[in-house]
Amino acid sequence: MRGILFAISGGFFLTLQSVANARISNGIGTWQAATLTQMTGFVVALLITLILRDRTFRQMKDVKVLYLSGGALAAAVLFSNMTAVHLMGVTLTISLFLIAQLGLALVIDWNGWFGMIKRRLQLPQVIGILMMIGGVLIVKW
């Protein structure tokens, strides 16, 4: 149940962040807004870590170099998201982002990439993705 609540919260936060970032980028530029967002996120995460007195940050040196690309990918996500919101609006942007996320997640699970457990791709999953695409087409018109 907690996982569901965190997932729903993450979806809400992603949408709110998309709108806020698009508004910020109107005034200062897309890459500048991405920089500001990343910096703000870093400060908040650092403060929370310090408040919780979590000392596991010392294990950062053990993180595989490949996984350090997450921050760089976040910059690409922010840029893509802000640009898409400006071009298509929030609803279509978030819809397509979700389909892209789910599609890649299925491929990652199917192939067992990044140390994930390999899972078989089944017909209901394919039908679900196709239904989401159909839903986006309906929303778009």
Side-chain angles (χ1 to χ4, degrees), residues 52-141:
L52 295 177
R53 299 174 191 248
D54 186 342
R55 300 290 183 225
T56 56
F57 66 87
R58 294 178 184 161
Q59 296 168 328
M60 282 192 227
K61 66 184 181 313
D62 299 329
V63 175
K64 292 181 181 179
V65 174
L66 171 66
Y67 301 139
L68 295 176
S69 65
L73 293 173
V77 168
L78 288 169
F79 177 80
S80 300
N81 194 307
M82 285 182 268
T83 303
V85 168
H86 286 299
L87 295 172
M88 303 183 307
V90 178
T91 303
L92 190 54
T93 296
I94 296 299
S95 298
L96 293 175
F97 260 59
L98 290 175
I99 290 170
Q101 281 182 293
L102 188 55
L104 185 56
L106 286 172
V107 171
I108 289 170
D109 277 347
W110 183 33
N111 290 298
W113 293 345
F114 306 105
M116 302 304 294
I117 296 171
K118 266 189 166 182
R119 301 182 191 277
R120 289 185 49 207
L121 183 62
Q122 298 180 4
L123 184 60
Q125 295 166 322
V126 174
I127 291 172
I129 293 275
L130 293 174
M131 288 176 68
M132 288 179 70
I133 292 169
V136 168
L137 292 174
I138 291 169
V139 167
K140 184 178 183 227
W141 284 299

Side-chain angles (χ1 to χ4, degrees), residues 16-33:
L16 293 171
Q17 180 190 31
S18 298
V19 174
N21 288 342
R23 297 295 297 157
I24 293 168
S25 69
N26 276 338
I28 65 173
T30 304
W31 284 112
Q32 294 83 344

